[in-house]
mmCIF file of all heavy atoms in Angstrom:
data_model
loop_
_atom_site.group_PDB
_atom_site.id
_atom_site.type_symbol
_atom_site.label_atom_id
_atom_site.label_comp_id
_atom_site.label_asym_id
_atom_site.label_seq_id
_atom_site.Cartn_x
_atom_site.Cartn_y
_atom_site.Cartn_z
ATOM 1 N N ALA A 610 -135.128 51.915 33.457
ATOM 2 C CA ALA A 610 -136.555 51.704 33.683
ATOM 3 C C ALA A 610 -137.353 52.818 33.027
ATOM 4 O O ALA A 610 -136.922 53.972 32.972
ATOM 5 C CB ALA A 610 -136.857 51.658 35.178
ATOM 6 N N ASP A 611 -138.523 52.471 32.547
ATOM 7 C CA ASP A 611 -139.426 53.448 31.950
ATOM 8 C C ASP A 611 -140.281 54.049 33.065
ATOM 9 O O ASP A 611 -141.040 53.334 33.719
ATOM 10 C CB ASP A 611 -140.317 52.760 30.917
ATOM 11 C CG ASP A 611 -141.210 53.747 30.161
ATOM 12 O OD1 ASP A 611 -141.414 54.879 30.648
ATOM 13 O OD2 ASP A 611 -141.737 53.365 29.097
ATOM 14 N N PRO A 612 -140.179 55.364 33.319
ATOM 15 C CA PRO A 612 -140.959 55.959 34.408
ATOM 16 C C PRO A 612 -142.462 55.827 34.214
ATOM 17 O O PRO A 612 -143.214 55.887 35.197
ATOM 18 C CB PRO A 612 -140.525 57.425 34.400
ATOM 19 C CG PRO A 612 -139.967 57.665 33.039
ATOM 20 C CD PRO A 612 -139.356 56.365 32.619
ATOM 21 N N CYS A 613 -142.901 55.624 32.987
ATOM 22 C CA CYS A 613 -144.329 55.476 32.719
ATOM 23 C C CYS A 613 -144.819 54.051 32.968
ATOM 24 O O CYS A 613 -146.024 53.806 32.995
ATOM 25 C CB CYS A 613 -144.650 55.882 31.284
ATOM 26 S SG CYS A 613 -144.227 57.603 30.914
ATOM 27 N N VAL A 614 -143.890 53.129 33.132
ATOM 28 C CA VAL A 614 -144.231 51.729 33.413
ATOM 29 C C VAL A 614 -144.103 51.433 34.905
ATOM 30 O O VAL A 614 -144.978 50.821 35.513
ATOM 31 C CB VAL A 614 -143.346 50.776 32.588
ATOM 32 C CG1 VAL A 614 -143.590 49.318 32.986
ATOM 33 C CG2 VAL A 614 -143.623 50.974 31.100
ATOM 34 N N ASP A 615 -142.990 51.855 35.500
ATOM 35 C CA ASP A 615 -142.760 51.639 36.932
ATOM 36 C C ASP A 615 -141.935 52.806 37.439
ATOM 37 O O ASP A 615 -140.706 52.781 37.411
ATOM 38 C CB ASP A 615 -142.031 50.314 37.166
ATOM 39 C CG ASP A 615 -141.868 49.970 38.648
ATOM 40 O OD1 ASP A 615 -142.103 50.849 39.491
ATOM 41 O OD2 ASP A 615 -141.493 48.818 38.947
ATOM 42 N N PHE A 616 -142.602 53.853 37.891
ATOM 43 C CA PHE A 616 -141.893 55.055 38.312
ATOM 44 C C PHE A 616 -141.035 54.789 39.542
ATOM 45 O O PHE A 616 -139.954 55.355 39.686
ATOM 46 C CB PHE A 616 -142.885 56.189 38.594
ATOM 47 C CG PHE A 616 -142.203 57.481 38.960
ATOM 48 C CD1 PHE A 616 -141.294 58.077 38.088
ATOM 49 C CD2 PHE A 616 -142.461 58.110 40.174
ATOM 50 C CE1 PHE A 616 -140.656 59.269 38.419
ATOM 51 C CE2 PHE A 616 -141.835 59.297 40.512
ATOM 52 C CZ PHE A 616 -140.925 59.879 39.635
ATOM 53 N N TYR A 617 -141.498 53.929 40.426
ATOM 54 C CA TYR A 617 -140.722 53.626 41.627
ATOM 55 C C TYR A 617 -139.361 53.040 41.248
ATOM 56 O O TYR A 617 -138.330 53.434 41.803
ATOM 57 C CB TYR A 617 -141.490 52.656 42.524
ATOM 58 C CG TYR A 617 -140.778 52.324 43.813
ATOM 59 C CD1 TYR A 617 -140.829 53.189 44.899
ATOM 60 C CD2 TYR A 617 -140.052 51.147 43.950
ATOM 61 C CE1 TYR A 617 -140.172 52.898 46.089
ATOM 62 C CE2 TYR A 617 -139.399 50.842 45.134
ATOM 63 C CZ TYR A 617 -139.462 51.724 46.201
ATOM 64 O OH TYR A 617 -138.800 51.424 47.362
ATOM 65 N N ARG A 618 -139.346 52.113 40.326
ATOM 66 C CA ARG A 618 -138.071 51.524 39.895
ATOM 67 C C ARG A 618 -137.194 52.583 39.236
ATOM 68 O O ARG A 618 -135.983 52.627 39.467
ATOM 69 C CB ARG A 618 -138.326 50.369 38.937
ATOM 70 C CG ARG A 618 -137.037 49.691 38.463
ATOM 71 C CD ARG A 618 -137.299 48.611 37.439
ATOM 72 N NE ARG A 618 -136.076 48.268 36.726
ATOM 73 C CZ ARG A 618 -136.041 47.580 35.591
ATOM 74 N NH1 ARG A 618 -137.166 47.148 35.043
ATOM 75 N NH2 ARG A 618 -134.889 47.314 35.011
ATOM 76 N N TYR A 619 -137.784 53.458 38.432
ATOM 77 C CA TYR A 619 -137.019 54.517 37.781
ATOM 78 C C TYR A 619 -136.372 55.433 38.819
ATOM 79 O O TYR A 619 -135.194 55.780 38.721
ATOM 80 C CB TYR A 619 -137.933 55.331 36.871
ATOM 81 C CG TYR A 619 -137.291 56.580 36.299
ATOM 82 C CD1 TYR A 619 -136.464 56.512 35.180
ATOM 83 C CD2 TYR A 619 -137.518 57.831 36.881
ATOM 84 C CE1 TYR A 619 -135.869 57.664 34.657
ATOM 85 C CE2 TYR A 619 -136.932 58.980 36.371
ATOM 86 C CZ TYR A 619 -136.101 58.887 35.260
ATOM 87 O OH TYR A 619 -135.508 60.015 34.750
ATOM 88 N N ALA A 620 -137.130 55.814 39.849
ATOM 89 C CA ALA A 620 -136.632 56.761 40.848
ATOM 90 C C ALA A 620 -135.717 56.105 41.871
ATOM 91 O O ALA A 620 -134.825 56.760 42.419
ATOM 92 C CB ALA A 620 -137.811 57.429 41.562
ATOM 93 N N CYS A 621 -135.909 54.799 42.122
ATOM 94 C CA CYS A 621 -135.242 54.152 43.258
ATOM 95 C C CYS A 621 -134.418 52.923 42.898
ATOM 96 O O CYS A 621 -133.769 52.348 43.786
ATOM 97 C CB CYS A 621 -136.282 53.734 44.308
ATOM 98 S SG CYS A 621 -137.089 55.126 45.123
ATOM 99 N N GLY A 622 -134.426 52.505 41.664
ATOM 100 C CA GLY A 622 -133.722 51.275 41.305
ATOM 101 C C GLY A 622 -132.246 51.319 41.622
ATOM 102 O O GLY A 622 -131.651 50.336 42.092
ATOM 103 N N GLY A 623 -131.604 52.460 41.378
ATOM 104 C CA GLY A 623 -130.185 52.592 41.707
ATOM 105 C C GLY A 623 -129.957 52.546 43.205
ATOM 106 O O GLY A 623 -128.991 51.938 43.683
ATOM 107 N N TRP A 624 -130.856 53.177 43.961
ATOM 108 C CA TRP A 624 -130.741 53.152 45.422
ATOM 109 C C TRP A 624 -130.840 51.719 45.939
ATOM 110 O O TRP A 624 -130.078 51.310 46.808
ATOM 111 C CB TRP A 624 -131.843 54.017 46.045
ATOM 112 C CG TRP A 624 -131.661 54.270 47.510
ATOM 113 C CD1 TRP A 624 -131.101 55.371 48.072
ATOM 114 C CD2 TRP A 624 -132.006 53.401 48.590
ATOM 115 N NE1 TRP A 624 -131.078 55.247 49.448
ATOM 116 C CE2 TRP A 624 -131.624 54.051 49.787
ATOM 117 C CE3 TRP A 624 -132.596 52.138 48.671
ATOM 118 C CZ2 TRP A 624 -131.825 53.473 51.049
ATOM 119 C CZ3 TRP A 624 -132.786 51.560 49.923
ATOM 120 C CH2 TRP A 624 -132.409 52.233 51.092
ATOM 121 N N GLN A 625 -131.766 50.967 45.400
ATOM 122 C CA GLN A 625 -131.937 49.584 45.858
ATOM 123 C C GLN A 625 -130.694 48.754 45.586
ATOM 124 O O GLN A 625 -130.296 47.924 46.406
ATOM 125 C CB GLN A 625 -133.156 48.962 45.170
ATOM 126 C CG GLN A 625 -134.481 49.553 45.637
ATOM 127 C CD GLN A 625 -135.665 48.952 44.915
ATOM 128 O OE1 GLN A 625 -135.734 48.958 43.685
ATOM 129 N NE2 GLN A 625 -136.612 48.426 45.668
ATOM 130 N N GLN A 626 -130.073 48.973 44.452
ATOM 131 C CA GLN A 626 -128.841 48.247 44.137
ATOM 132 C C GLN A 626 -127.706 48.633 45.071
ATOM 133 O O GLN A 626 -126.921 47.790 45.510
ATOM 134 C CB GLN A 626 -128.411 48.534 42.699
ATOM 135 C CG GLN A 626 -128.923 47.529 41.681
ATOM 136 C CD GLN A 626 -128.109 47.623 40.395
ATOM 137 O OE1 GLN A 626 -127.709 48.704 39.981
ATOM 138 N NE2 GLN A 626 -127.857 46.491 39.778
ATOM 139 N N ASN A 627 -127.607 49.907 45.365
ATOM 140 C CA ASN A 627 -126.472 50.416 46.125
ATOM 141 C C ASN A 627 -126.643 50.319 47.633
ATOM 142 O O ASN A 627 -125.702 50.603 48.380
ATOM 143 C CB ASN A 627 -126.229 51.887 45.756
ATOM 144 C CG ASN A 627 -125.864 52.070 44.300
ATOM 145 O OD1 ASN A 627 -125.260 51.190 43.694
ATOM 146 N ND2 ASN A 627 -126.246 53.200 43.728
ATOM 147 N N ASN A 628 -127.823 49.917 48.091
ATOM 148 C CA ASN A 628 -128.111 49.905 49.526
ATOM 149 C C ASN A 628 -128.742 48.583 49.955
ATOM 150 O O ASN A 628 -129.930 48.512 50.272
ATOM 151 C CB ASN A 628 -129.044 51.066 49.887
ATOM 152 C CG ASN A 628 -128.373 52.412 49.741
ATOM 153 O OD1 ASN A 628 -127.729 52.896 50.648
ATOM 154 N ND2 ASN A 628 -128.515 53.007 48.558
ATOM 155 N N PRO A 629 -127.964 47.517 49.957
ATOM 156 C CA PRO A 629 -128.507 46.229 50.382
ATOM 157 C C PRO A 629 -128.897 46.261 51.854
ATOM 158 O O PRO A 629 -128.422 47.097 52.630
ATOM 159 C CB PRO A 629 -127.347 45.260 50.142
ATOM 160 C CG PRO A 629 -126.131 46.115 50.202
ATOM 161 C CD PRO A 629 -126.527 47.436 49.627
ATOM 162 N N LEU A 630 -129.752 45.329 52.222
ATOM 163 C CA LEU A 630 -130.244 45.267 53.591
ATOM 164 C C LEU A 630 -129.117 44.944 54.568
ATOM 165 O O LEU A 630 -128.443 43.920 54.425
ATOM 166 C CB LEU A 630 -131.312 44.176 53.695
ATOM 167 C CG LEU A 630 -132.752 44.592 53.429
ATOM 168 C CD1 LEU A 630 -133.591 43.365 53.090
ATOM 169 C CD2 LEU A 630 -133.324 45.288 54.652
ATOM 170 N N PRO A 631 -128.901 45.778 55.582
ATOM 171 C CA PRO A 631 -127.976 45.397 56.653
ATOM 172 C C PRO A 631 -128.546 44.189 57.407
ATOM 173 O O PRO A 631 -129.765 44.031 57.506
ATOM 174 C CB PRO A 631 -127.936 46.639 57.551
ATOM 175 C CG PRO A 631 -128.434 47.760 56.697
ATOM 176 C CD PRO A 631 -129.417 47.142 55.756
ATOM 177 N N PRO A 632 -127.696 43.354 57.966
ATOM 178 C CA PRO A 632 -128.191 42.132 58.609
ATOM 179 C C PRO A 632 -129.020 42.384 59.867
ATOM 180 O O PRO A 632 -129.766 41.508 60.297
ATOM 181 C CB PRO A 632 -126.908 41.364 58.948
ATOM 182 C CG PRO A 632 -125.827 42.384 58.966
ATOM 183 C CD PRO A 632 -126.222 43.410 57.954
ATOM 184 N N ASP A 633 -128.916 43.610 60.461
ATOM 185 C CA ASP A 633 -129.689 43.870 61.677
ATOM 186 C C ASP A 633 -130.963 44.664 61.391
ATOM 187 O O ASP A 633 -131.571 45.222 62.301
ATOM 188 C CB ASP A 633 -128.839 44.614 62.713
ATOM 189 C CG ASP A 633 -128.497 46.036 62.290
ATOM 190 O OD1 ASP A 633 -128.530 46.325 61.078
ATOM 191 O OD2 ASP A 633 -128.195 46.872 63.170
ATOM 192 N N GLN A 634 -131.376 44.707 60.110
ATOM 193 C CA GLN A 634 -132.564 45.471 59.734
ATOM 194 C C GLN A 634 -133.579 44.575 59.020
ATOM 195 O O GLN A 634 -133.208 43.739 58.191
ATOM 196 C CB GLN A 634 -132.189 46.619 58.790
ATOM 197 C CG GLN A 634 -131.189 47.607 59.362
ATOM 198 C CD GLN A 634 -131.795 48.507 60.418
ATOM 199 O OE1 GLN A 634 -132.987 48.800 60.404
ATOM 200 N NE2 GLN A 634 -130.964 48.952 61.352
ATOM 201 N N ALA A 635 -134.861 44.774 59.331
ATOM 202 C CA ALA A 635 -135.925 44.073 58.614
ATOM 203 C C ALA A 635 -136.225 44.761 57.293
ATOM 204 O O ALA A 635 -136.606 44.123 56.309
ATOM 205 C CB ALA A 635 -137.191 44.014 59.468
ATOM 206 N N SER A 636 -136.070 46.079 57.290
ATOM 207 C CA SER A 636 -136.215 46.859 56.062
ATOM 208 C C SER A 636 -135.194 47.981 56.119
ATOM 209 O O SER A 636 -134.742 48.387 57.194
ATOM 210 C CB SER A 636 -137.634 47.425 55.936
ATOM 211 O OG SER A 636 -137.937 48.291 57.013
ATOM 212 N N TRP A 637 -134.829 48.477 54.964
ATOM 213 C CA TRP A 637 -133.790 49.499 54.877
ATOM 214 C C TRP A 637 -134.230 50.511 53.842
ATOM 215 O O TRP A 637 -134.398 50.191 52.672
ATOM 216 C CB TRP A 637 -132.468 48.853 54.486
ATOM 217 C CG TRP A 637 -131.248 49.723 54.556
ATOM 218 C CD1 TRP A 637 -130.397 50.029 53.539
ATOM 219 C CD2 TRP A 637 -130.725 50.373 55.727
ATOM 220 N NE1 TRP A 637 -129.374 50.819 53.990
ATOM 221 C CE2 TRP A 637 -129.549 51.054 55.332
ATOM 222 C CE3 TRP A 637 -131.140 50.463 57.059
ATOM 223 C CZ2 TRP A 637 -128.781 51.810 56.231
ATOM 224 C CZ3 TRP A 637 -130.376 51.209 57.956
ATOM 225 C CH2 TRP A 637 -129.218 51.866 57.537
ATOM 226 N N ASP A 638 -134.494 51.721 54.302
ATOM 227 C CA ASP A 638 -134.997 52.737 53.389
ATOM 228 C C ASP A 638 -134.372 54.075 53.712
ATOM 229 O O ASP A 638 -133.504 54.187 54.586
ATOM 230 C CB ASP A 638 -136.530 52.802 53.438
ATOM 231 C CG ASP A 638 -137.072 53.038 54.845
ATOM 232 O OD1 ASP A 638 -136.391 53.694 55.648
ATOM 233 O OD2 ASP A 638 -138.179 52.558 55.140
ATOM 234 N N VAL A 639 -134.789 55.084 53.013
ATOM 235 C CA VAL A 639 -134.226 56.413 53.198
ATOM 236 C C VAL A 639 -134.413 56.882 54.636
ATOM 237 O O VAL A 639 -133.511 57.457 55.247
ATOM 238 C CB VAL A 639 -134.869 57.391 52.202
ATOM 239 C CG1 VAL A 639 -134.497 58.823 52.524
ATOM 240 C CG2 VAL A 639 -134.442 57.046 50.780
ATOM 241 N N TYR A 640 -135.590 56.642 55.173
ATOM 242 C CA TYR A 640 -135.871 57.058 56.544
ATOM 243 C C TYR A 640 -135.000 56.303 57.545
ATOM 244 O O TYR A 640 -134.426 56.900 58.462
ATOM 245 C CB TYR A 640 -137.352 56.847 56.864
ATOM 246 C CG TYR A 640 -138.219 58.019 56.485
ATOM 247 C CD1 TYR A 640 -138.392 58.381 55.148
ATOM 248 C CD2 TYR A 640 -138.868 58.771 57.445
ATOM 249 C CE1 TYR A 640 -139.183 59.457 54.792
ATOM 250 C CE2 TYR A 640 -139.662 59.850 57.103
ATOM 251 C CZ TYR A 640 -139.827 60.196 55.772
ATOM 252 O OH TYR A 640 -140.607 61.267 55.425
ATOM 253 N N SER A 641 -134.923 54.986 57.406
ATOM 254 C CA SER A 641 -134.147 54.212 58.367
ATOM 255 C C SER A 641 -132.657 54.503 58.225
ATOM 256 O O SER A 641 -131.908 54.446 59.207
ATOM 257 C CB SER A 641 -134.421 52.710 58.206
ATOM 258 O OG SER A 641 -134.164 52.271 56.898
ATOM 259 N N LYS A 642 -132.229 54.849 57.036
ATOM 260 C CA LYS A 642 -130.815 55.176 56.850
ATOM 261 C C LYS A 642 -130.473 56.505 57.520
ATOM 262 O O LYS A 642 -129.437 56.641 58.181
ATOM 263 C CB LYS A 642 -130.487 55.219 55.359
ATOM 264 C CG LYS A 642 -129.009 55.017 55.065
ATOM 265 C CD LYS A 642 -128.760 54.875 53.573
ATOM 266 C CE LYS A 642 -127.268 54.650 53.307
ATOM 267 N NZ LYS A 642 -126.964 54.731 51.869
ATOM 268 N N LEU A 643 -131.346 57.495 57.374
ATOM 269 C CA LEU A 643 -131.141 58.755 58.078
ATOM 270 C C LEU A 643 -131.256 58.544 59.587
ATOM 271 O O LEU A 643 -130.493 59.124 60.374
ATOM 272 C CB LEU A 643 -132.160 59.797 57.607
ATOM 273 C CG LEU A 643 -132.114 61.166 58.291
ATOM 274 C CD1 LEU A 643 -130.728 61.794 58.172
ATOM 275 C CD2 LEU A 643 -133.180 62.089 57.715
ATOM 276 N N HIS A 644 -132.198 57.700 60.001
ATOM 277 C CA HIS A 644 -132.331 57.367 61.416
ATOM 278 C C HIS A 644 -131.039 56.752 61.946
ATOM 279 O O HIS A 644 -130.596 57.066 63.059
ATOM 280 C CB HIS A 644 -133.499 56.399 61.601
ATOM 281 C CG HIS A 644 -133.655 55.875 62.997
ATOM 282 N ND1 HIS A 644 -133.969 56.674 64.071
ATOM 283 C CD2 HIS A 644 -133.532 54.616 63.497
ATOM 284 C CE1 HIS A 644 -134.034 55.943 65.166
ATOM 285 N NE2 HIS A 644 -133.769 54.698 64.854
ATOM 286 N N GLU A 645 -130.423 55.888 61.148
ATOM 287 C CA GLU A 645 -129.151 55.268 61.541
ATOM 288 C C GLU A 645 -128.073 56.327 61.747
ATOM 289 O O GLU A 645 -127.306 56.273 62.715
ATOM 290 C CB GLU A 645 -128.713 54.271 60.465
ATOM 291 C CG GLU A 645 -127.350 53.670 60.669
ATOM 292 C CD GLU A 645 -127.393 52.352 61.426
ATOM 293 O OE1 GLU A 645 -128.494 51.922 61.812
ATOM 294 O OE2 GLU A 645 -126.324 51.761 61.622
ATOM 295 N N GLU A 646 -128.024 57.304 60.859
ATOM 296 C CA GLU A 646 -127.027 58.365 61.007
ATOM 297 C C GLU A 646 -127.304 59.203 62.253
ATOM 298 O O GLU A 646 -126.382 59.585 62.979
ATOM 299 C CB GLU A 646 -127.016 59.254 59.757
ATOM 300 C CG GLU A 646 -126.590 58.527 58.504
ATOM 301 C CD GLU A 646 -125.268 57.795 58.684
ATOM 302 O OE1 GLU A 646 -124.339 58.368 59.291
ATOM 303 O OE2 GLU A 646 -125.159 56.652 58.230
ATOM 304 N N ASN A 647 -128.587 59.480 62.510
ATOM 305 C CA ASN A 647 -128.926 60.205 63.731
ATOM 306 C C ASN A 647 -128.496 59.428 64.974
ATOM 307 O O ASN A 647 -127.991 59.997 65.939
ATOM 308 C CB ASN A 647 -130.428 60.483 63.782
ATOM 309 C CG ASN A 647 -130.853 61.608 62.851
ATOM 310 O OD1 ASN A 647 -130.015 62.278 62.247
ATOM 311 N ND2 ASN A 647 -132.145 61.811 62.724
ATOM 312 N N LEU A 648 -128.721 58.102 64.938
ATOM 313 C CA LEU A 648 -128.310 57.270 66.070
ATOM 314 C C LEU A 648 -126.804 57.335 66.274
ATOM 315 O O LEU A 648 -126.320 57.420 67.411
ATOM 316 C CB LEU A 648 -128.747 55.818 65.850
ATOM 317 C CG LEU A 648 -130.242 55.502 65.942
ATOM 318 C CD1 LEU A 648 -130.481 54.018 65.667
ATOM 319 C CD2 LEU A 648 -130.810 55.883 67.302
ATOM 320 N N ARG A 649 -126.042 57.267 65.198
ATOM 321 C CA ARG A 649 -124.582 57.309 65.316
ATOM 322 C C ARG A 649 -124.109 58.665 65.850
ATOM 323 O O ARG A 649 -123.136 58.739 66.609
ATOM 324 C CB ARG A 649 -123.927 57.014 63.969
ATOM 325 C CG ARG A 649 -124.019 55.558 63.577
ATOM 326 C CD ARG A 649 -123.302 55.267 62.260
ATOM 327 N NE ARG A 649 -123.437 53.855 61.950
ATOM 328 C CZ ARG A 649 -122.636 52.908 62.420
ATOM 329 N NH1 ARG A 649 -121.634 53.245 63.213
ATOM 330 N NH2 ARG A 649 -122.829 51.649 62.105
ATOM 331 N N PHE A 650 -124.790 59.703 65.447
ATOM 332 C CA PHE A 650 -124.443 61.026 65.968
ATOM 333 C C PHE A 650 -124.787 61.119 67.459
ATOM 334 O O PHE A 650 -123.986 61.608 68.270
ATOM 335 C CB PHE A 650 -125.186 62.106 65.177
ATOM 336 C CG PHE A 650 -124.894 63.498 65.643
ATOM 337 C CD1 PHE A 650 -123.642 64.057 65.474
ATOM 338 C CD2 PHE A 650 -125.880 64.251 66.263
ATOM 339 C CE1 PHE A 650 -123.363 65.352 65.916
ATOM 340 C CE2 PHE A 650 -125.620 65.533 66.707
ATOM 341 C CZ PHE A 650 -124.363 66.090 66.534
ATOM 342 N N LEU A 651 -125.968 60.616 67.831
ATOM 343 C CA LEU A 651 -126.362 60.598 69.240
ATOM 344 C C LEU A 651 -125.422 59.714 70.057
ATOM 345 O O LEU A 651 -125.139 60.004 71.232
ATOM 346 C CB LEU A 651 -127.801 60.109 69.376
ATOM 347 C CG LEU A 651 -128.883 61.045 68.837
ATOM 348 C CD1 LEU A 651 -130.241 60.343 68.851
ATOM 349 C CD2 LEU A 651 -128.948 62.333 69.646
ATOM 350 N N TRP A 652 -124.958 58.635 69.458
ATOM 351 C CA TRP A 652 -123.989 57.752 70.122
ATOM 352 C C TRP A 652 -122.764 58.563 70.554
ATOM 353 O O TRP A 652 -122.280 58.442 71.683
ATOM 354 C CB TRP A 652 -123.615 56.624 69.167
ATOM 355 C CG TRP A 652 -122.602 55.643 69.662
ATOM 356 C CD1 TRP A 652 -122.192 55.436 70.962
ATOM 357 C CD2 TRP A 652 -121.855 54.719 68.869
ATOM 358 N NE1 TRP A 652 -121.245 54.432 71.019
ATOM 359 C CE2 TRP A 652 -121.022 53.977 69.751
ATOM 360 C CE3 TRP A 652 -121.819 54.440 67.505
ATOM 361 C CZ2 TRP A 652 -120.150 52.982 69.290
ATOM 362 C CZ3 TRP A 652 -120.957 53.451 67.042
ATOM 363 C CH2 TRP A 652 -120.137 52.722 67.932
ATOM 364 N N GLY A 653 -122.256 59.389 69.659
ATOM 365 C CA GLY A 653 -121.113 60.223 70.004
ATOM 366 C C GLY A 653 -121.425 61.174 71.147
ATOM 367 O O GLY A 653 -120.612 61.362 72.062
ATOM 368 N N LEU A 654 -122.604 61.794 71.104
ATOM 369 C CA LEU A 654 -122.995 62.710 72.179
ATOM 370 C C LEU A 654 -123.100 61.975 73.512
ATOM 371 O O LEU A 654 -122.655 62.475 74.554
ATOM 372 C CB LEU A 654 -124.333 63.372 71.839
ATOM 373 C CG LEU A 654 -124.383 64.264 70.595
ATOM 374 C CD1 LEU A 654 -125.796 64.801 70.404
ATOM 375 C CD2 LEU A 654 -123.388 65.412 70.699
ATOM 376 N N LEU A 655 -123.689 60.773 73.480
ATOM 377 C CA LEU A 655 -123.878 60.012 74.712
ATOM 378 C C LEU A 655 -122.559 59.459 75.242
ATOM 379 O O LEU A 655 -122.342 59.416 76.463
ATOM 380 C CB LEU A 655 -124.881 58.881 74.476
ATOM 381 C CG LEU A 655 -126.337 59.326 74.339
ATOM 382 C CD1 LEU A 655 -127.207 58.170 73.852
ATOM 383 C CD2 LEU A 655 -126.856 59.864 75.663
ATOM 384 N N ALA A 656 -121.700 59.023 74.349
ATOM 385 C CA ALA A 656 -120.396 58.523 74.797
ATOM 386 C C ALA A 656 -119.619 59.626 75.498
ATOM 387 O O ALA A 656 -118.941 59.393 76.520
ATOM 388 C CB ALA A 656 -119.607 57.983 73.608
#
């Protein structure tokens, strides 16, 4: 991608390919992915 045409695609196109939407998510992004990891870590603490 040309960053001068679509910078978002240039910066994130690989991420979008490598991170398809999980079936239990309406959207899947960097924040929600880190949130998921935090939840899994908290799961261990709570268990």
Side-chain angles (χ1 to χ4, degrees):
D611 185 341
C613 300
V614 174
D615 185 348
F616 183 58
Y617 182 81
R618 181 184 163 195
Y619 172 82
C621 293
W624 191 97
Q625 290 178 305
Q626 267 198 323
N627 297 330
N628 292 273
L630 270 160
D633 68 338
Q634 301 287 331
S636 61
W637 189 239
D638 56 31
V639 170
Y640 273 66
S641 56
K642 202 172 181 189
L643 178 56
H644 174 65
E645 174 93 359
E646 296 308 318
N647 284 353
L648 289 179
R649 287 183 180 275
F650 180 68
L651 291 172
W652 178 17
L654 297 179
L655 287 169

